[in-house]
Structures are given as C-alpha cells and as structure tokens.
Amino acid sequence: MSDYQVEILLVEDNPHDAEMTVRALKKVNLANKLIHVRDGAEALDFIFAKGAYIDRHIENKPKVILLDIKMPKVDGIEVLRQIKSNETTKTIPVVIMTSSKEEQDVITSYDLGVNSYVVKPVDFEGFAKAVSELGFYWLITNQAI
C-alpha cells in the first residue's frame, strides 16, 4: 500500500452509493487508483497515515476526495474540517457528495473550504453522469498543486 498512488479517495458508508460511484468511475476508466473507506474515522486514518494505514506515505495524497456528510463514527463535516486545517492536506480537493440539501451543511462545507458540494442524483443515470463529470474534472482537467 505504501507505494500505491491513490487518485480518488471515496468516503461513503452506504454500500449502494459506493457501488454506484465505483461502477460509474470504472465505466469511464477512472477507478484504477480508487480507495473506498466506509466511515469518517477510517478516512482520517487513511489521510493522515494512522491506524491500519500507518505504513502509507502521507506525501502520496489523493488527487481528490469524494466525501459523504452523514456517516458513522466521524461525520464528513469533521473530516473536511481536519483536512482543510492541516498544512499537509489542505490543498487536496474535496468534493462533498451527499443526499443532504440542508442549507447549513452547504454553508458550513464552503466555510471550511470544500471545493465543491454535489447533491447526489436519485437515478443511476444522473448519478453516473455526475460522478463521471466530477472524475474527469478533478483528475484530468483541474491543475493540482
């Protein structure tokens, strides 16, 4: 794992949404270097090379993090807060992908420095299109630091 360059970190506790995201990214050949973690605590361990990921090189940052908000253990807002308040990780693009349309979630996410806030479309075609466009933008179009 330590030499593996992750491009996409998917932080999603819903197995159905995670499967749809991976399937949509595979369809456009963007899932080769994807890691899926199932809650905010595991995401923080991965990002900061702790716990099960202690051997991971922290310099090998993901090119983008797709982050759900409503998750067990540590919610997405807290994960975002820790990412954006750390000098090593603050430049990693974070895209909130959630079913939450709550205005306070949107405001808080942007206040903390989220790069994009996307409400998950309900139907698979809409979901797949949104995920594909996000993948292409953040992995191919966007110029990262």
Side-chain angles (χ1 to χ4, degrees):
M1 166 85 59
S2 61
D3 295 324
Y4 183 71
Q5 179 61 52
V6 174
E7 291 187 340
I8 300 172
L9 176 62
L10 173 61
V11 186
E12 174 61 68
D13 64 314
N14 181 310
H16 178 70
D17 286 357
E19 181 183 325
M20 286 196 328
T21 302
V22 171
R23 192 174 343 147
L25 290 168
K26 279 184 179 176
K27 193 173 180 179
V28 292
N29 297 316
L30 293 176
N32 292 340
K33 296 180 179 178
L34 178 140
I35 294 289
H36 170 221
V37 297
R38 288 156 184 81
D39 61 59
E42 187 179 2
L44 291 171
D45 281 354
F46 180 86
I47 293 161
F48 294 107
K50 297 179 181 175
Y53 301 99
I54 195 130
D55 292 332
R56 189 181 81 73
H57 292 138
I58 197 166
E59 315 78 50
N60 291 342
K61 298 181 276 195
K63 288 188 178 178
V64 64
I65 298 171
L66 304 179
L67 178 64
D68 191 13
I69 289 183
K70 311 291 186 205
M71 291 184 299
K73 297 184 182 178
V74 178
D75 71 13
I77 296 292
E78 182 56 29
V79 172
L80 176 64
R81 179 178 283 112
Q82 290 191 38
I83 292 168
K84 294 300 184 178
S85 65
N86 183 286
E87 284 299 314
T88 305
T89 59
K90 71 180 184 180
T91 60
I92 300 171
V94 178
V95 177
I96 297 285
M97 283 187 54
T98 184
S99 54
S100 174
K101 295 180 183 178
E102 294 176 33
E103 185 178 1
Q104 193 55 54
D105 286 342
V106 177
I107 292 167
T108 301
S109 296
Y110 279 109
D111 282 349
L112 292 172
V114 77
N115 298 87
S116 187
Y117 191 104
V118 177
V119 177
K120 297 175 192 172
V122 178
D123 65 291
F124 177 73
E125 282 190 28
F127 188 85
K129 184 174 190 265
V131 168
S132 297
E133 289 174 359
L134 285 169
F136 272 113
Y137 177 77
W138 290 107
L139 296 181
I140 297 167
T141 308
N142 184 56
Q143 180 62 50
I145 295 175

